[in-house]
Structures are given as structure tokens and as C-alpha cells.
Amino acid sequence: MQRVLGCGTGWGRRRWGRALAGASGCGVLAVSVVAATSAPAAEAGASTGTSTTAAVTNLLTGSQATFDLGAGGWVGAAATARQVATPSQSGPGALALTSTIGAVEMATVQGAGTSAWTPAAPGQVYTATAWVRAATTARRADAMVAFRSATGASLGSAWGPLGTDQAAAWSQTGPAVGIAPAGTAYAETAVFFYGAAAGETHYVDTVALTTHPGGSAAIAGPLHTSGNRIYDANDQVVTLRGTASEWLDWNPAAPPGSQLDDNNIAHMKQWGDNVVRVLLSENYWDSNDCAYAPGYASAVDRVVDSITSRGMVAILSLHNNSTTPCGPSGQYRMADAPGSITFWQSVASRYKTNPLVAFDLFNEPYGITWDQWLNGGPLVGAYGVTWQAAGMRQMYAAVRQTGAGNLVFVSGNNWANDPPSGSYLLGGANVVYAAHAYTCPRSAPPNCASSDPYNVPAFLRAWAPLAATNPVMVTEFGWPDPGGSAYVQSVINWAESLDIGWTAYGWYSGGAYGAPGGHFGILADTITFQ
């Protein structure tokens, strides 16, 4: 799920510089994964309050979209653009784009000037796609939607994921999806091809530009579970769809410019998220820990308030802990006792009165038995040192003993890949079981060992029986390449087919965090013209 925050004064992928997403002055936010089965059209972090069956209308009409009777006003950049009868994807015409100088990139754009562009409104979500085909040589290609003011000044651009056209068949570009920033009066659509030699031709046909409102419906708390579903305060089914964010697991504050500042959270809401999974550190929270940060709880307060005041759910997830007093902070095999138990007693006491806060007991247990997962016990760590693990049952009890009735998320074993069953089910009230799913946990193909990396893995499908009887959510999944969206969309489609929620990982600039060599950030870049 690639999101792009654009602040450019022009367009052209090779001419753009990059900075951290969420910087001030930027208003264009884009995603490369659209149309989840039950989510609103063109929205990955979808709102449960938006219809998914409403027809969408192409804002481009006649030859501007189909090129059946002419070029529709489209022009070339570093290329000539002309209407041709064949090959066509649909109807009697297409647009032929021929490189004039052998540029690194060539493009065809939706005319020049306000009379050619599409009227647009700030805050609306716009999606652009096109069908492409190579005359002889396949090249990388993508779609773009740009936003312009009433005077024609560029306000920013949003890009779809890079794909490759083919000489033998038509293929559709990935969608370029952007939220129009303040001051938008027009949207402009473009299609780019990269690396074409001089005289090389590529074809474009059936271009679509559609729109829908941004934002998500506010959720009414408190939330509760019944059967295998989550319900709001009005006993209406709620499906949580959104993102997970690094930051507070490795940083003791969330200042302006960080990915959990109020600006980024506002963008999450505007994009359609109704839930944000916030990763936390036990070490910064615990006043007895050597890494204790006195302002940490207040920083978490500000993030929680920023999320829940907008009607979104904040899932607070324990990610980092240590296994010895003042030991290194990190993501260990399991929570520690008594540290993690004390952590949840404190956190639950602090947020139990906020009806839109949920507690995710421990991120990704691994290398432990199911009995240790449930009940804790001694574990042998580095250098043969034995430490005491806290089990899910103990942490759940710590939360409930505070009087907190909030939702509690319980991740499965083996990196949250495996679901509990039988006597290992936690029981209790308002429990949601959490799955994580990565097919390429470090590098994208061809450097990924998975034989089927783009489809839902068998271990995730094994959660379906549990999801039929208990609330289940996919709280973490992602792809180690900010330009790829096929796998993420596969997981979203699977989750939607079972009516379960999901939070994609993670809301930050691609490559800034994540596994070594990975680029799991779904924010691709903030774009500033050079």
C-alpha cells in the first residue's frame, strides 16, 4: 500500500527529490492499493461507514478517455502524441506516444491549460489509471494525477506503482490515488514510460479519472465483541481498517515532523483509516528502567488523543521490552515478567476510560511453546541466561484487574503466524486474536525465498476457522518494496472476504525502518521539486 505525499511545482519522476512524508506544506496523499473487496472504492484504509457498491463515474469523457475520434487534447512530453486506429484496448482508437529524444522518461499529459484539465475540489480523493502497451520493447510505466490551482500552479502530484507494459497485450497501470490539497481547482492526468529509445512507441488507451470523498466515519465507543465480530456502542458491526506506525517503540517523543505527529494522524483520517496501531516501548514507560523517559507517557497521551479525538481507534501494542533489569530494549521472543505485567497494569489504568483505545498485549511471540505463550515461564536467552516470560493469560488478567473493559488483541505464536486453538484460546471478554503475515520478510523478489510471494500464504489462510468463531484481525502485513502493492492487496482482499479488519505496516517513509534491506514503509516519499 504505497502512499505518496507530493509537494512539487512540476512533474517528472526522475526530477524529484525525497524527504520524510508528513512534512508541513504538503497536501497530496496517494495509495497504490485500491478497491479492497468490501472497502470504499480507491481506499485501502477504508471506513466502515462508506458504501462500497456505488458506481464510479469517469471524469474524463469522449476521446479524452478513449481516443476513439482523436487525441482528446492529450500532448506528449519528450514525445509526440497522435491518435491511431490500432492497436486499441477498447473501441476504434488509441493514443500512440513516440519518444523524440531517447529520454529517461517520456509522458503524455492531459492537455495544457485550464480548459484541458478536470475540475477538482480540495479534500476529494482522485484515482487515475490507464491501459498501456508497447509497440516493440517493454518498458516501465505508471500513471500520475497532479493537482493545480485556479491559475494553473502545481500543488503536487501522486504516483501509482511502477509496472511494465508488454508488446503482446494491453495491461492496466496501477492506480495513482491522491487527496487534493487546499487550493485545488483542477486535476491533471498523465502516463509515463521510462527508458525509451528515440523513435520508440508506446500506446495508451482507456484512461480513467474518478473521485470519492476522503475521510472515515467516526466510530462510537466503547467497542465490544460478540461471536466473531466487533461491535460499536450502538451494537453496529465495526470493521477496523487502517495502518500501523513505528516511532514510539524506538523514540521517547513524537515531535512535529515524526510519523505520529498530529499532521500525519490527520492524513491517516483523511485517507480513510478508522484505526491506527501504535507501537510502544515498555522501557521508556517503566520508571524503574534505565531507559525510562519522563515525558514518554505524555507523548503517548498526545498521540492517543490525536487518534481517538478524530473518531479512530488507537491500538496500543507492546513491541519493545527487555529480559533483564536495565537490559537492552528490543523485540524479544516473549513479554517479560514482571516488567510487561506492570506495563499493562499502568497502561490499562491510564487509558481504560477512553472508549476508543485497545490493548495489543505483545507484538510477535516466537521460539516458545504454546504453553509458554499462554502461561509464561522460564526461557533461556543469550549467553545461557534464564529469564522469566509473561504469558498472554497473565497480561490479559493485568489489564482486566484495572477494571478496563477495552478490546484486548492477542497475537498468535510463531511471529503471530499461527493461530491458537483448543485449550490455548484465551477466553474472557472482548478478545480479538491477531495475525501477522509476510511472504517476503526481508527483500522483494528475486531476493525472496517464497515460491508464491504475491498471494496470501497458507499460514494466514489457516486463521479462517478461528475467524469463523472468534474475532480475528490481521494487525500487521506488508511488502519490502514501496513500489509494489500486489501482495498487500491480496491480504486485504482475503481479510475482506472473511469480514475481518486489518492494519497494514507501516505508516512511514519506505526504507526508513523495517527489516534489514527492507522497505516496508507505505509512505513512499514526500516530493519536492529540485
Side-chain angles (χ1 to χ4, degrees):
M1 189 166 60
Q2 176 190 6
R3 290 186 170 97
V4 181
L5 195 65
C7 311
T9 57
W11 41 257
R13 187 183 288 269
R14 67 187 170 94
R15 299 195 300 266
W16 301 90
R18 299 174 188 272
L20 176 66
S24 61
C26 305
V28 182
L29 191 62
V31 66
S32 68
V33 177
V34 297
T37 304
S38 299
E43 180 48 63
S47 161
T48 58
T50 304
S51 170
T52 64
T53 58
V56 291
T57 301
N58 191 356
L59 302 178
L60 306 180
T61 60
S63 290
Q64 194 177 38
T66 65
F67 312 110
D68 287 345
L69 299 177
W74 285 68
V75 296
T80 60
R82 70 189 191 282
Q83 192 258 3
V84 294
T86 58
S88 68
Q89 188 271 333
S90 178
L95 191 70
L97 191 68
T98 302
S99 176
T100 56
I101 59 174
V104 172
E105 64 186 34
M106 66 174 181
T108 183
V109 299
Q110 189 186 332
T114 58
S115 62
W117 302 328
T118 303
Q124 285 283 116
V125 181
Y126 290 86
T127 304
T129 59
W131 288 80
V132 294
R133 180 170 177 167
T136 56
T137 306
R139 300 290 183 185
R140 300 284 272 173
D142 57 14
M144 184 202 75
V145 58
F147 300 99
R148 295 186 178 272
S149 70
T151 62
S154 176
L155 302 177
S157 308
W159 303 82
L162 282 169
T164 303
D165 66 357
Q166 303 296 328
W170 289 88
S171 59
Q172 191 174 33
T173 66
V177 190
I179 299 175
T184 293
Y186 300 99
E188 177 189 15
T189 309
V191 182
F192 283 77
F193 299 89
Y194 301 92
E200 188 174 300
T201 297
H202 295 260
Y203 302 102
V204 178
D205 201 0
T206 317
V207 183
L209 178 66
T210 61
T211 187
H212 74 275
S216 64
I219 292 177
L223 304 179
H224 66 278
T225 66
S226 180
N228 67 340
R229 304 305 302 270
I230 299 170
Y231 292 84
D232 67 11
N234 301 313
D235 287 327
Q236 298 297 307
V237 172
V238 172
T239 302
L240 300 177
R241 304 179 177 97
T243 48
S245 181
E246 293 264 9
W247 191 262
L248 286 171
D249 47 344
W250 295 109
N251 298 275
S258 65
Q259 60 240 28
L260 277 173
D261 68 4
D262 192 67
N263 177 56
N264 267 288
I265 292 168
H267 275 108
M268 296 177 195
K269 173 70 175 182
Q270 189 180 23
W271 192 243
D273 287 8
N274 65 8
V275 60
V276 182
R277 183 169 175 260
V278 180
L279 317 187
L280 298 183
S281 166
E282 176 184 310
N283 308 90
Y284 292 142
W285 188 278
D286 183 1
S287 60
N288 293 316
D289 194 279
C290 296
Y292 171 65
Y296 186 65
S298 295
V300 177
D301 287 347
R302 288 189 292 272
V303 170
V304 167
D305 182 68
S306 182
I307 295 168
T308 61
S309 66
R310 291 180 165 93
M312 298 187 289
V313 172
I315 301 176
L316 304 182
S317 175
L318 175 54
H319 263 230
N320 287 0
N321 64 316
S322 55
T323 60
T324 58
C326 287
S329 177
Q331 296 184 25
Y332 289 92
R333 287 192 283 162
M334 190 49 178
D336 66 293
S340 299
I341 296 170
T342 302
F343 170 85
W344 281 119
Q345 289 170 337
S346 177
V347 171
S349 294
R350 194 177 189 97
Y351 299 113
K352 66 183 180 181
T353 59
N354 188 324
L356 292 180
V357 170
F359 306 124
D360 183 354
L361 298 180
F362 190 74
N363 176 48
E364 290 180 345
Y366 70 95
I368 58 176
T369 67
W370 276 108
D371 187 68
Q372 291 166 332
W373 176 89
L374 185 64
N375 299 308
L379 294 176
V380 178
Y383 308 108
V385 176
T386 298
W387 57 280
Q388 192 72 18
M392 294 296 186
R393 179 176 285 164
Q394 294 164 290
M395 290 185 286
Y396 174 80
V399 169
R400 293 292 181 245
Q401 286 166 5
T402 68
N406 310 57
L407 294 185
V408 171
F409 285 74
V410 182
S411 294
N413 205 348
N414 188 27
W415 304 96
N417 291 172
D418 298 343
S421 61
S423 61
Y424 294 112
L425 291 173
L426 195 63
N430 296 339
V431 172
V432 181
Y433 292 99
H436 293 187
Y438 294 90
T439 56
C440 294
R442 293 191 177 274
S443 301
N447 299 315
C448 172
S450 173
S451 61
D452 189 19
Y454 298 102
N455 292 315
V456 175
F459 66 79
L460 182 57
R461 295 184 185 277
W463 284 79
L466 181 62
T469 58
N470 290 267
V472 166
M473 186 165 162
V474 187
T475 55
E476 198 173 302
F477 60 102
W479 185 253
D481 177 359
S485 62
Y487 172 71
V488 173
Q489 186 65 69
S490 293
V491 175
I492 290 171
N493 290 346
W494 178 82
E496 294 290 340
S497 73
L498 296 180
D499 295 321
I500 64 178
W502 45 269
T503 48
Y505 180 80
W507 185 276
Y508 57 80
S509 180
Y513 294 91
H519 301 274
F520 287 91
I522 57 180
L523 292 169
D525 41 33
T526 295
I527 305 174
T528 304
F529 191 72
Q530 299 295 298

